[in-house]
Amino acid sequence: MQTRATPATAAPLERFNTATAAEATQALLACLHSRAWAHRLVAHRPYPDLPALLAAADEAAYDLSPDDLTEALSAETLPTLPEDTYAAAHTALSAAHAAYESRFGHVFVICLDGLSPDETLNHVLTAIRSRLNNDPDEERLVAAEELRRLARTRLTSTL
């Protein structure tokens, strides 16, 4: 297989468009750990601009099968709290996460894009408590939407 050298000064999207399939797939898996999602985006390169890539990423995320969603959810980690969050909040959040994982079988995912550090804790606690009331099918839809939003945020910051 022949590879093309990419200049160090190339824009991130250009580097993504010209990377080997394996390199591009690895970059995408860091944004959303679904092989089907990543392979679909790699197969449709090159993208003319970031909005085109984001639109393709959204479409591919909406098309995740239940198994693809399970794969993506299994690689997610809990959202991090600001360093100065007090111990009682960590305890409350740990209990909420444990209840969520027990009920739904996967980690709680939420996109915190655009929130200030001061808003993070309350937003996460409110969301997790609210989502604990969802039935499993409804929660998979909500989790899938949060994964899609996380992938967009990660792609935007990566590229």
Side-chain angles (χ1 to χ4, degrees), residues 22-97:
E23 292 168 337
T25 298
Q26 281 307 113
L28 291 169
L29 288 174
C31 298
L32 180 71
H33 195 85
S34 164
R35 288 183 300 264
W37 179 83
H39 290 159
R40 182 170 165 180
L41 293 175
V42 168
H44 290 97
R45 291 180 306 162
Y47 295 95
D49 52 32
L50 184 58
L53 173 59
L54 293 175
D58 282 349
E59 183 178 330
Y62 287 129
D63 291 342
L64 290 177
S65 72
D67 288 343
D68 297 333
L69 182 57
T70 297
E71 177 188 24
L73 286 168
S74 70
E76 287 297 316
T77 59
L78 297 174
T80 57
L81 295 176
E83 288 183 28
D84 62 346
T85 303
Y86 53 94
H90 282 285
T91 301
L93 195 56
S94 293
H97 281 295

Side-chain angles (χ1 to χ4, degrees), residues 56-159:
D58 282 349
E59 183 178 330
Y62 287 129
D63 291 342
L64 290 177
S65 72
D67 288 343
D68 297 333
L69 182 57
T70 297
E71 177 188 24
L73 286 168
S74 70
E76 287 297 316
T77 59
L78 297 174
T80 57
L81 295 176
E83 288 183 28
D84 62 346
T85 303
Y86 53 94
H90 282 285
T91 301
L93 195 56
S94 293
H97 281 295
Y100 182 94
E101 287 186 38
S102 175
R103 176 154 167 71
F104 298 113
H106 59 82
V107 70
F108 176 75
V109 292
I110 189 166
C111 182
L112 300 172
D113 191 35
L115 290 177
S116 72
D118 293 342
E119 298 171 301
T120 301
L121 176 61
N122 285 337
H123 185 77
V124 171
L125 280 172
T126 300
I128 199 167
R129 287 176 180 151
S130 171
R131 288 169 54 184
L132 276 167
N133 294 317
N134 291 346
D135 67 54
D137 290 336
E138 181 182 14
E139 182 53 27
R140 282 187 76 79
L141 291 173
V142 173
E145 176 61 17
E146 291 296 326
L147 282 173
R148 184 196 64 77
R149 291 181 60 215
L150 284 167
R152 281 183 68 87
T153 299
R154 293 168 182 164
L155 275 171
T156 300
S157 67
T158 300
L159 302 177

